[in-house]
Amino acid sequence: MKATAVAPANIAFTKYWGKVDDELRLPANPSFSMNLDNCLTTTTVEFDKKYKEDSFEMIGEKVQEKEERRALKHIDHMRQKVHIPLRAKIVTKNSFPKSAGIASSASGFAALAVAASNAASLHLSEKELSVFARVGSGSACRSIPDGFVEWKEGKTSQESYAHSLFPPDYWDLRDILVIVRSKNKKTPTSEGMELGRETSIFYTPRIQAVRQLHETLKTAFVKKDFKTVGEIIEKDCIYMHCVMMSTIPHLFYWTPETLAVIQNVIEWRDEAIESYYTIDAGPNVHVICEAKTEEKLISKLKKLDFVEQIIINKPAKGAHLITNHLF
Ligand code: DP6
């Protein structure tokens, strides 16, 4: 009763920032994302009678109590469904250092969902896996299917899952992740979203706007219209950060370096280096470009002396099983 899965992190082009059901993590709007081939989590789960209690370990990193509680709650959730009397050992490893400041909850809960359900001999469909991952962390449902993914809102738990719109090789895009500050204290996403819903005057207008942006984005993707795709990516990034910044207490995830990258990306467009920025709940910037622009963009980014690290991501397949276990 042992299985190992690998899952990618994902970057959202239209974003999830607000729930209609906090417990089930039902989102207030649909979102669209790309799986990242260089930001991966590998997780092994084993159920066995030799384990007296559940355990959770992260190779090379110190596990925070909150992280452990959330992972074990996820296992419990599944155990309730299949009535396994056994305890589990969970070992997990990220391909990216925690200091890179990338949220590992999407790749983490997607890998955990696939590994745990297979270790329990539950052969879930992609849709069921996406639902299961979503309950752990909303954005994790988008790390289950391949490539470019849509998460529809759904009115019930079973209706709220992600599916692939385009395979990874549909469009050779890059997500150049620019790490500007690796150690930053920040408000956790779940808490930030709830506060935003309660206090930001921009919360509801953004939800309405993003629904429209999401539909236009899908059409632009069909046409491979990079300019329109890029403009939408930036729009929803700014809309979401307006919600964050107008939340009480204010959520400023940006640092001066974040804004400097944004300004450079805009200026470089005048030099025919076409790329677009997006930022999640942290200071680091994802710069999206087509493969043909990668080299020029990287050489520009490397000249910015405040950049700590650059991670180049191509579109990736979704969560899947592998045969090499971590223990
Ligand atoms: C800013 O999936 O981390 O990255 O469901 O509360 O665990 P929870 O939230 P989470 O939120 C991700 C928010 C985001 C935008 C996005 O990825 O869509």
Side-chain angles (χ1 to χ4, degrees), residues 24-52:
L24 290 173
R25 295 179 200 277
L26 297 180
N29 62 272
S31 55
F32 182 110
S33 62
M34 171 179 131
N35 285 331
L36 309 179
D37 77 333
N38 244 334
C39 297
L40 305 172
T41 300
T42 305
T43 301
T44 299
V45 177
E46 182 178 44
F47 291 100
D48 196 289
K49 58 178 182 313
K50 69 184 170 203
Y51 301 126
K52 298 285 168 269

PDB file of all heavy atoms in Angstrom, residues 24-52:
ATOM      1  N   LEU A  24     -15.109  23.746   1.613  1.00  0.00           N
ATOM      2  CA  LEU A  24     -14.942  22.937   0.383  1.00  0.00           C
ATOM      3  C   LEU A  24     -13.998  23.591  -0.618  1.00  0.00           C
ATOM      4  O   LEU A  24     -13.653  22.999  -1.633  1.00  0.00           O
ATOM      5  CB  LEU A  24     -16.311  22.725  -0.288  1.00  0.00           C
ATOM      6  CG  LEU A  24     -17.285  21.804   0.427  1.00  0.00           C
ATOM      7  CD1 LEU A  24     -18.643  21.832  -0.275  1.00  0.00           C
ATOM      8  CD2 LEU A  24     -16.740  20.374   0.465  1.00  0.00           C
ATOM      9  N   ARG A  25     -13.624  24.835  -0.371  1.00  0.00           N
ATOM     10  CA  ARG A  25     -12.774  25.605  -1.296  1.00  0.00           C
ATOM     11  C   ARG A  25     -13.404  25.692  -2.687  1.00  0.00           C
ATOM     12  O   ARG A  25     -12.791  25.354  -3.697  1.00  0.00           O
ATOM     13  CB  ARG A  25     -11.360  25.000  -1.391  1.00  0.00           C
ATOM     14  CG  ARG A  25     -10.605  25.089  -0.093  1.00  0.00           C
ATOM     15  CD  ARG A  25      -9.224  24.464  -0.168  1.00  0.00           C
ATOM     16  NE  ARG A  25      -8.741  24.149   1.162  1.00  0.00           N
ATOM     17  CZ  ARG A  25      -8.139  25.014   1.990  1.00  0.00           C
ATOM     18  NH1 ARG A  25      -7.919  26.237   1.607  1.00  0.00           N
ATOM     19  NH2 ARG A  25      -7.768  24.644   3.195  1.00  0.00           N
ATOM     20  N   LEU A  26     -14.665  26.126  -2.706  1.00  0.00           N
ATOM     21  CA  LEU A  26     -15.329  26.390  -3.990  1.00  0.00           C
ATOM     22  C   LEU A  26     -15.013  27.832  -4.372  1.00  0.00           C
ATOM     23  O   LEU A  26     -15.257  28.751  -3.588  1.00  0.00           O
ATOM     24  CB  LEU A  26     -16.846  26.201  -3.875  1.00  0.00           C
ATOM     25  CG  LEU A  26     -17.332  24.797  -3.535  1.00  0.00           C
ATOM     26  CD1 LEU A  26     -18.857  24.770  -3.463  1.00  0.00           C
ATOM     27  CD2 LEU A  26     -16.838  23.778  -4.555  1.00  0.00           C
ATOM     28  N   PRO A  27     -14.438  28.049  -5.561  1.00  0.00           N
ATOM     29  CA  PRO A  27     -13.979  29.389  -5.918  1.00  0.00           C
ATOM     30  C   PRO A  27     -15.118  30.303  -6.362  1.00  0.00           C
ATOM     31  O   PRO A  27     -16.147  29.829  -6.849  1.00  0.00           O
ATOM     32  CB  PRO A  27     -13.050  29.113  -7.097  1.00  0.00           C
ATOM     33  CG  PRO A  27     -13.667  27.929  -7.758  1.00  0.00           C
ATOM     34  CD  PRO A  27     -14.243  27.073  -6.648  1.00  0.00           C
ATOM     35  N   ALA A  28     -14.886  31.606  -6.223  1.00  0.00           N
ATOM     36  CA  ALA A  28     -15.903  32.584  -6.629  1.00  0.00           C
ATOM     37  C   ALA A  28     -15.883  32.833  -8.130  1.00  0.00           C
ATOM     38  O   ALA A  28     -16.810  33.426  -8.670  1.00  0.00           O
ATOM     39  CB  ALA A  28     -15.668  33.892  -5.875  1.00  0.00           C
ATOM     40  N   ASN A  29     -14.804  32.410  -8.811  1.00  0.00           N
ATOM     41  CA  ASN A  29     -14.717  32.637 -10.272  1.00  0.00           C
ATOM     42  C   ASN A  29     -13.878  31.524 -10.909  1.00  0.00           C
ATOM     43  O   ASN A  29     -13.095  30.871 -10.221  1.00  0.00           O
ATOM     44  CB  ASN A  29     -14.087  34.013 -10.567  1.00  0.00           C
ATOM     45  CG  ASN A  29     -12.670  34.128 -10.039  1.00  0.00           C
ATOM     46  OD1 ASN A  29     -12.461  34.507  -8.890  1.00  0.00           O
ATOM     47  ND2 ASN A  29     -11.687  33.790 -10.854  1.00  0.00           N
ATOM     48  N   PRO A  30     -14.035  31.338 -12.227  1.00  0.00           N
ATOM     49  CA  PRO A  30     -13.189  30.343 -12.900  1.00  0.00           C
ATOM     50  C   PRO A  30     -11.757  30.871 -13.024  1.00  0.00           C
ATOM     51  O   PRO A  30     -11.546  32.088 -12.959  1.00  0.00           O
ATOM     52  CB  PRO A  30     -13.836  30.208 -14.279  1.00  0.00           C
ATOM     53  CG  PRO A  30     -14.534  31.495 -14.505  1.00  0.00           C
ATOM     54  CD  PRO A  30     -14.956  32.000 -13.159  1.00  0.00           C
ATOM     55  N   SER A  31     -10.796  29.967 -13.206  1.00  0.00           N
ATOM     56  CA  SER A  31      -9.411  30.402 -13.404  1.00  0.00           C
ATOM     57  C   SER A  31      -8.717  29.510 -14.435  1.00  0.00           C
ATOM     58  O   SER A  31      -9.213  28.425 -14.768  1.00  0.00           O
ATOM     59  CB  SER A  31      -8.651  30.412 -12.071  1.00  0.00           C
ATOM     60  OG  SER A  31      -8.731  29.161 -11.435  1.00  0.00           O
ATOM     61  N   PHE A  32      -7.604  30.004 -14.927  1.00  0.00           N
ATOM     62  CA  PHE A  32      -6.880  29.362 -16.039  1.00  0.00           C
ATOM     63  C   PHE A  32      -5.400  29.356 -15.662  1.00  0.00           C
ATOM     64  O   PHE A  32      -4.876  30.384 -15.234  1.00  0.00           O
ATOM     65  CB  PHE A  32      -7.094  30.219 -17.293  1.00  0.00           C
ATOM     66  CG  PHE A  32      -6.454  29.692 -18.561  1.00  0.00           C
ATOM     67  CD1 PHE A  32      -7.231  29.198 -19.598  1.00  0.00           C
ATOM     68  CD2 PHE A  32      -5.071  29.735 -18.746  1.00  0.00           C
ATOM     69  CE1 PHE A  32      -6.649  28.732 -20.791  1.00  0.00           C
ATOM     70  CE2 PHE A  32      -4.475  29.274 -19.926  1.00  0.00           C
ATOM     71  CZ  PHE A  32      -5.274  28.775 -20.944  1.00  0.00           C
ATOM     72  N   SER A  33      -4.716  28.209 -15.838  1.00  0.00           N
ATOM     73  CA  SER A  33      -3.307  28.182 -15.430  1.00  0.00           C
ATOM     74  C   SER A  33      -2.457  27.320 -16.342  1.00  0.00           C
ATOM     75  O   SER A  33      -2.965  26.530 -17.144  1.00  0.00           O
ATOM     76  CB  SER A  33      -3.196  27.661 -13.995  1.00  0.00           C
ATOM     77  OG  SER A  33      -3.684  26.343 -13.936  1.00  0.00           O
ATOM     78  N   MET A  34      -1.139  27.491 -16.171  1.00  0.00           N
ATOM     79  CA  MET A  34      -0.161  26.680 -16.899  1.00  0.00           C
ATOM     80  C   MET A  34       0.665  25.907 -15.865  1.00  0.00           C
ATOM     81  O   MET A  34       1.144  26.496 -14.889  1.00  0.00           O
ATOM     82  CB  MET A  34       0.750  27.619 -17.709  1.00  0.00           C
ATOM     83  CG  MET A  34       1.942  26.957 -18.339  1.00  0.00           C
ATOM     84  SD  MET A  34       2.927  28.181 -19.302  1.00  0.00           S
ATOM     85  CE  MET A  34       4.564  27.847 -18.674  1.00  0.00           C
ATOM     86  N   ASN A  35       0.826  24.614 -16.090  1.00  0.00           N
ATOM     87  CA  ASN A  35       1.667  23.804 -15.202  1.00  0.00           C
ATOM     88  C   ASN A  35       3.139  24.095 -15.470  1.00  0.00           C
ATOM     89  O   ASN A  35       3.539  24.279 -16.626  1.00  0.00           O
ATOM     90  CB  ASN A  35       1.417  22.313 -15.438  1.00  0.00           C
ATOM     91  CG  ASN A  35       0.106  21.859 -14.839  1.00  0.00           C
ATOM     92  OD1 ASN A  35      -0.360  22.425 -13.860  1.00  0.00           O
ATOM     93  ND2 ASN A  35      -0.488  20.826 -15.420  1.00  0.00           N
ATOM     94  N   LEU A  36       3.950  24.081 -14.411  1.00  0.00           N
ATOM     95  CA  LEU A  36       5.357  24.497 -14.503  1.00  0.00           C
ATOM     96  C   LEU A  36       6.300  23.300 -14.370  1.00  0.00           C
ATOM     97  O   LEU A  36       6.302  22.617 -13.335  1.00  0.00           O
ATOM     98  CB  LEU A  36       5.652  25.526 -13.409  1.00  0.00           C
ATOM     99  CG  LEU A  36       4.666  26.707 -13.333  1.00  0.00           C
ATOM    100  CD1 LEU A  36       5.052  27.640 -12.188  1.00  0.00           C
ATOM    101  CD2 LEU A  36       4.630  27.475 -14.664  1.00  0.00           C
ATOM    102  N   ASP A  37       7.113  23.075 -15.413  1.00  0.00           N
ATOM    103  CA  ASP A  37       7.907  21.832 -15.432  1.00  0.00           C
ATOM    104  C   ASP A  37       9.136  21.858 -14.526  1.00  0.00           C
ATOM    105  O   ASP A  37       9.752  20.825 -14.306  1.00  0.00           O
ATOM    106  CB  ASP A  37       8.338  21.487 -16.869  1.00  0.00           C
ATOM    107  CG  ASP A  37       9.488  22.346 -17.359  1.00  0.00           C
ATOM    108  OD1 ASP A  37       9.630  23.488 -16.872  1.00  0.00           O
ATOM    109  OD2 ASP A  37      10.252  21.883 -18.217  1.00  0.00           O
ATOM    110  N   ASN A  38       9.469  23.037 -13.983  1.00  0.00           N
ATOM    111  CA  ASN A  38      10.667  23.099 -13.137  1.00  0.00           C
ATOM    112  C   ASN A  38      10.355  23.372 -11.672  1.00  0.00           C
ATOM    113  O   ASN A  38      11.252  23.686 -10.893  1.00  0.00           O
ATOM    114  CB  ASN A  38      11.607  24.178 -13.667  1.00  0.00           C
ATOM    115  CG  ASN A  38      12.898  23.579 -14.146  1.00  0.00           C
ATOM    116  OD1 ASN A  38      13.302  22.508 -13.668  1.00  0.00           O
ATOM    117  ND2 ASN A  38      13.545  24.228 -15.075  1.00  0.00           N
ATOM    118  N   CYS A  39       9.097  23.297 -11.333  1.00  0.00           N
ATOM    119  CA  CYS A  39       8.681  23.498  -9.938  1.00  0.00           C
ATOM    120  C   CYS A  39       7.816  22.299  -9.551  1.00  0.00           C
ATOM    121  O   CYS A  39       6.588  22.340  -9.702  1.00  0.00           O
ATOM    122  CB  CYS A  39       7.897  24.797  -9.777  1.00  0.00           C
ATOM    123  SG  CYS A  39       8.856  26.268 -10.160  1.00  0.00           S
ATOM    124  N   LEU A  40       8.463  21.244  -9.102  1.00  0.00           N
ATOM    125  CA  LEU A  40       7.758  19.972  -8.900  1.00  0.00           C
ATOM    126  C   LEU A  40       7.803  19.515  -7.444  1.00  0.00           C
ATOM    127  O   LEU A  40       8.788  19.751  -6.746  1.00  0.00           O
ATOM    128  CB  LEU A  40       8.412  18.876  -9.756  1.00  0.00           C
ATOM    129  CG  LEU A  40       8.530  19.150 -11.260  1.00  0.00           C
ATOM    130  CD1 LEU A  40       9.368  18.065 -11.923  1.00  0.00           C
ATOM    131  CD2 LEU A  40       7.146  19.205 -11.901  1.00  0.00           C
ATOM    132  N   THR A  41       6.753  18.818  -7.033  1.00  0.00           N
ATOM    133  CA  THR A  41       6.758  18.142  -5.736  1.00  0.00           C
ATOM    134  C   THR A  41       6.610  16.642  -5.966  1.00  0.00           C
ATOM    135  O   THR A  41       5.775  16.211  -6.768  1.00  0.00           O
ATOM    136  CB  THR A  41       5.591  18.623  -4.845  1.00  0.00           C
ATOM    137  OG1 THR A  41       5.727  20.023  -4.627  1.00  0.00           O
ATOM    138  CG2 THR A  41       5.574  17.912  -3.496  1.00  0.00           C
ATOM    139  N   THR A  42       7.453  15.872  -5.285  1.00  0.00           N
ATOM    140  CA  THR A  42       7.348  14.404  -5.322  1.00  0.00           C
ATOM    141  C   THR A  42       6.901  13.948  -3.937  1.00  0.00           C
ATOM    142  O   THR A  42       7.449  14.420  -2.930  1.00  0.00           O
ATOM    143  CB  THR A  42       8.723  13.776  -5.645  1.00  0.00           C
ATOM    144  OG1 THR A  42       9.199  14.352  -6.853  1.00  0.00           O
ATOM    145  CG2 THR A  42       8.627  12.264  -5.801  1.00  0.00           C
ATOM    146  N   THR A  43       5.942  13.057  -3.891  1.00  0.00           N
ATOM    147  CA  THR A  43       5.414  12.596  -2.594  1.00  0.00           C
ATOM    148  C   THR A  43       5.200  11.091  -2.589  1.00  0.00           C
ATOM    149  O   THR A  43       4.614  10.543  -3.528  1.00  0.00           O
ATOM    150  CB  THR A  43       4.076  13.305  -2.269  1.00  0.00           C
ATOM    151  OG1 THR A  43       4.316  14.713  -2.240  1.00  0.00           O
ATOM    152  CG2 THR A  43       3.495  12.859  -0.936  1.00  0.00           C
ATOM    153  N   THR A  44       5.681  10.448  -1.535  1.00  0.00           N
ATOM    154  CA  THR A  44       5.421   9.012  -1.340  1.00  0.00           C
ATOM    155  C   THR A  44       4.507   8.847  -0.127  1.00  0.00           C
ATOM    156  O   THR A  44       4.734   9.480   0.911  1.00  0.00           O
ATOM    157  CB  THR A  44       6.745   8.241  -1.090  1.00  0.00           C
ATOM    158  OG1 THR A  44       7.585   8.396  -2.234  1.00  0.00           O
ATOM    159  CG2 THR A  44       6.488   6.760  -0.837  1.00  0.00           C
ATOM    160  N   VAL A  45       3.489   8.023  -0.297  1.00  0.00           N
ATOM    161  CA  VAL A  45       2.576   7.713   0.815  1.00  0.00           C
ATOM    162  C   VAL A  45       2.552   6.201   0.990  1.00  0.00           C
ATOM    163  O   VAL A  45       2.440   5.457   0.009  1.00  0.00           O
ATOM    164  CB  VAL A  45       1.137   8.209   0.526  1.00  0.00           C
ATOM    165  CG1 VAL A  45       0.187   7.815   1.663  1.00  0.00           C
ATOM    166  CG2 VAL A  45       1.113   9.725   0.329  1.00  0.00           C
ATOM    167  N   GLU A  46       2.670   5.773   2.246  1.00  0.00           N
ATOM    168  CA  GLU A  46       2.523   4.333   2.532  1.00  0.00           C
ATOM    169  C   GLU A  46       1.575   4.148   3.708  1.00  0.00           C
ATOM    170  O   GLU A  46       1.731   4.817   4.744  1.00  0.00           O
ATOM    171  CB  GLU A  46       3.875   3.696   2.864  1.00  0.00           C
ATOM    172  CG  GLU A  46       3.738   2.191   3.123  1.00  0.00           C
ATOM    173  CD  GLU A  46       5.063   1.499   3.405  1.00  0.00           C
ATOM    174  OE1 GLU A  46       5.877   2.036   4.177  1.00  0.00           O
ATOM    175  OE2 GLU A  46       5.281   0.406   2.862  1.00  0.00           O
ATOM    176  N   PHE A  47       0.611   3.256   3.530  1.00  0.00           N
ATOM    177  CA  PHE A  47      -0.273   2.844   4.636  1.00  0.00           C
ATOM    178  C   PHE A  47       0.237   1.489   5.116  1.00  0.00           C
ATOM    179  O   PHE A  47       0.433   0.577   4.295  1.00  0.00           O
ATOM    180  CB  PHE A  47      -1.721   2.674   4.159  1.00  0.00           C
ATOM    181  CG  PHE A  47      -2.382   3.965   3.784  1.00  0.00           C
ATOM    182  CD1 PHE A  47      -2.484   4.352   2.452  1.00  0.00           C
ATOM    183  CD2 PHE A  47      -2.915   4.805   4.758  1.00  0.00           C
ATOM    184  CE1 PHE A  47      -3.098   5.546   2.090  1.00  0.00           C
ATOM    185  CE2 PHE A  47      -3.535   6.005   4.409  1.00  0.00           C
ATOM    186  CZ  PHE A  47      -3.624   6.374   3.081  1.00  0.00           C
ATOM    187  N   ASP A  48       0.456   1.369   6.430  1.00  0.00           N
ATOM    188  CA  ASP A  48       0.929   0.061   6.919  1.00  0.00           C
ATOM    189  C   ASP A  48       0.613  -0.075   8.398  1.00  0.00           C
ATOM    190  O   ASP A  48       0.625   0.924   9.137  1.00  0.00           O
ATOM    191  CB  ASP A  48       2.442  -0.055   6.701  1.00  0.00           C
ATOM    192  CG  ASP A  48       2.920  -1.496   6.808  1.00  0.00           C
ATOM    193  OD1 ASP A  48       2.923  -2.040   7.942  1.00  0.00           O
ATOM    194  OD2 ASP A  48       3.275  -2.078   5.773  1.00  0.00           O
ATOM    195  N   LYS A  49       0.423  -1.319   8.813  1.00  0.00           N
ATOM    196  CA  LYS A  49       0.088  -1.530  10.232  1.00  0.00           C
ATOM    197  C   LYS A  49       1.292  -1.282  11.141  1.00  0.00           C
ATOM    198  O   LYS A  49       1.153  -1.116  12.344  1.00  0.00           O
ATOM    199  CB  LYS A  49      -0.542  -2.898  10.469  1.00  0.00           C
ATOM    200  CG  LYS A  49       0.256  -4.104  10.055  1.00  0.00           C
ATOM    201  CD  LYS A  49      -0.537  -5.365  10.425  1.00  0.00           C
ATOM    202  CE  LYS A  49       0.152  -6.667  10.111  1.00  0.00           C
ATOM    203  NZ  LYS A  49       0.751  -6.818   8.801  1.00  0.00           N
ATOM    204  N   LYS A  50       2.518  -1.225  10.551  1.00  0.00           N
ATOM    205  CA  LYS A  50       3.702  -0.958  11.389  1.00  0.00           C
ATOM    206  C   LYS A  50       3.723   0.505  11.890  1.00  0.00           C
ATOM    207  O   LYS A  50       4.425   0.834  12.825  1.00  0.00           O
ATOM    208  CB  LYS A  50       4.989  -1.269  10.635  1.00  0.00           C
ATOM    209  CG  LYS A  50       5.323  -0.345   9.475  1.00  0.00           C
ATOM    210  CD  LYS A  50       6.574  -0.817   8.729  1.00  0.00           C
ATOM    211  CE  LYS A  50       6.726  -0.024   7.438  1.00  0.00           C
ATOM    212  NZ  LYS A  50       7.502  -0.643   6.416  1.00  0.00           N
ATOM    213  N   TYR A  51       2.932   1.381  11.253  1.00  0.00           N
ATOM    214  CA  TYR A  51       2.906   2.780  11.700  1.00  0.00           C
ATOM    215  C   TYR A  51       1.849   2.971  12.786  1.00  0.00           C
ATOM    216  O   TYR A  51       0.683   2.618  12.601  1.00  0.00           O
ATOM    217  CB  TYR A  51       2.615   3.724  10.520  1.00  0.00           C
ATOM    218  CG  TYR A  51       3.643   3.611   9.408  1.00  0.00           C
ATOM    219  CD1 TYR A  51       3.248   3.365   8.089  1.00  0.00           C
ATOM    220  CD2 TYR A  51       5.006   3.719   9.673  1.00  0.00           C
ATOM    221  CE1 TYR A  51       4.178   3.227   7.068  1.00  0.00           C
ATOM    222  CE2 TYR A  51       5.946   3.581   8.657  1.00  0.00           C
ATOM    223  CZ  TYR A  51       5.527   3.340   7.366  1.00  0.00           C
ATOM    224  OH  TYR A  51       6.457   3.205   6.368  1.00  0.00           O
ATOM    225  N   LYS A  52       2.300   3.513  13.901  1.00  0.00           N
ATOM    226  CA  LYS A  52       1.374   3.698  15.039  1.00  0.00           C
ATOM    227  C   LYS A  52       0.596   5.016  14.890  1.00  0.00           C
ATOM    228  O   LYS A  52      -0.463   5.195  15.462  1.00  0.00           O
ATOM    229  CB  LYS A  52       2.146   3.708  16.371  1.00  0.00           C
ATOM    230  CG  LYS A  52       2.866   2.384  16.650  1.00  0.00           C
ATOM    231  CD  LYS A  52       1.883   1.300  17.094  1.00  0.00           C
ATOM    232  CE  LYS A  52       2.492  -0.087  17.091  1.00  0.00           C
ATOM    233  NZ  LYS A  52       2.340  -0.843  15.834  1.00  0.00           N
TER     234      LYS A  52
END
